[in-house]
Amino acid sequence: MVFTQGFKHTHTYQQLISYAGLSPKEFTSGKSIRGKVRISKIGGKQLRHTLYMCALNAKATNAGCKELYDRLVGKGKNKKLAIIAVCNKLLKQVFGVVQSGILYQDNFCKKTA
């Protein structure tokens, strides 16, 4: 909440992810040169570091984050990429809780009409 100034300038979770510097950035030049997709790192370094440490804890304690991490590593993805995906999931969860005003529930299901 402190790093984002209470979500004052972010209206979507995509903006929040970009603000944290966790959005993907692809390097391409013409048709032949394609680099690896990396995170942009334009956002706040302290927020990104805090989220990374939280993601390491969440992959062990949060069921949704553990499932995401295990699924990505099982597909052969890099472990650091899987941690960044957990960081993004944590940001989405925090943004959802703050925007809706409903406390976090591990087994929350959206009600369909």
Side-chain angles (χ1 to χ4, degrees), residues 31-102:
K31 293 182 180 180
S32 62
I33 300 175
R34 290 203 169 91
K36 288 184 180 180
V37 176
R38 301 178 187 272
I39 59 174
S40 67
K41 294 187 179 180
I42 292 175
K45 182 179 179 180
Q46 288 181 322
L47 177 59
R48 197 169 43 253
H49 175 71
T50 303
L51 277 168
Y52 188 83
M53 298 310 285
C54 290
L56 291 176
N57 186 21
K59 75 175 179 137
T61 58
N62 186 326
C65 292
K66 180 174 177 42
E67 179 185 327
L68 174 67
Y69 180 82
D70 291 340
R71 187 180 75 233
L72 289 175
V73 171
K75 284 183 176 179
K77 300 292 184 183
N78 187 344
K79 290 182 180 180
K80 189 170 270 190
L81 182 139
I83 291 291
I84 296 300
V86 171
C87 288
N88 285 336
K89 184 172 183 73
L90 287 175
L91 276 177
K92 289 177 187 178
Q93 288 176 347
V94 168
F95 187 79
V97 166
V98 169
Q99 290 297 317
S100 68
I102 300 173

Side-chain angles (χ1 to χ4, degrees), residues 9-50:
H9 304 293
T10 54
H11 304 291
T12 64
Y13 70 87
Q14 290 98 339
Q15 289 176 335
L16 182 60
I17 289 171
S18 180
Y19 181 80
L22 293 172
S23 56
K25 179 180 137 187
E26 182 179 3
F27 174 75
T28 59
S29 177
K31 293 182 180 180
S32 62
I33 300 175
R34 290 203 169 91
K36 288 184 180 180
V37 176
R38 301 178 187 272
I39 59 174
S40 67
K41 294 187 179 180
I42 292 175
K45 182 179 179 180
Q46 288 181 322
L47 177 59
R48 197 169 43 253
H49 175 71
T50 303

